[in-house]
Amino acid sequence: MPLVRIDVQEGRTPEQLRELADAVQDVMLETFAAPPRDRYQVITEHPRGRIIAEDTGLGLERTDGVVVIQVTQQGRNQDQKRAMYAAMAKQLQERAGLDPSDLIISVVENTRDDWSFGLGRAQFVEGDL
């Protein structure tokens, strides 16, 4: 766990989407200490114009290549989050050609009892994990 939602506008190839997802997962492993095979990602493609991402007054120029990443997780501190933001921008630029100005990341926190990984059970709470 973390659960990562990746929102993009249509236009990337399946290979480009996979490279984007793989880069995100590598950052989760490196900066959030996610265990191997702890990969939960949802990629959603939106028609052009369905992601509206202004610059919040920061002077950022966004393109149709904008990517919004939402990470639902628990237990990461401010230093880990900041390291993740920096690593994500670097990895996605290097591996997927994403301009760092086109990357928006939001971290959502929850607790152990907010997760069920299947079978209608709360594995963290019940001691399976």
Side-chain angles (χ1 to χ4, degrees):
M1 174 305 302
L3 170 63
V4 179
R5 296 185 159 281
I6 303 168
D7 289 275
V8 300
Q9 295 194 86
E10 292 174 338
R12 289 178 172 85
T13 66
E15 295 78 21
Q16 289 171 322
L17 291 172
R18 183 59 190 225
E19 186 61 33
L20 186 94
D22 289 348
V24 168
Q25 179 63 13
D26 289 346
V27 171
M28 292 293 101
L29 294 169
E30 293 165 11
T31 64
F32 269 19
R37 293 194 40 86
D38 191 46
R39 185 172 186 164
Y40 300 94
Q41 297 177 320
V42 178
I43 301 171
T44 304
E45 292 183 278
H46 302 274
R48 297 247 180 237
R50 295 295 171 99
I51 296 178
I52 300 169
E54 296 181 357
D55 71 353
T56 316
L58 297 172
L60 301 173
E61 294 294 326
R62 303 214 197 272
T63 71
D64 285 342
V66 68
V67 173
V68 180
I69 298 175
Q70 184 178 42
V71 181
T72 302
Q73 60 79 46
Q74 58 179 310
R76 273 57 176 214
N77 63 39
Q78 185 181 53
D79 290 339
Q80 287 173 302
K81 292 174 191 174
R82 292 178 75 182
M84 184 267 294
Y85 301 146
M88 197 75 73
K90 183 175 189 256
Q91 284 292 318
L92 292 177
Q93 183 175 34
E94 290 175 1
R95 294 174 57 182
L98 181 68
D99 186 312
S101 294
D102 277 334
L103 177 61
I104 300 169
I105 304 170
S106 174
V107 176
V108 178
E109 304 227 10
N110 65 11
T111 63
R112 297 174 71 81
D113 60 337
D114 293 321
W115 291 91
S116 171
F117 292 94
L119 306 175
R121 301 187 53 226
Q123 288 86 354
F124 279 133
V125 176
E126 296 173 22
D128 298 328
L129 292 173

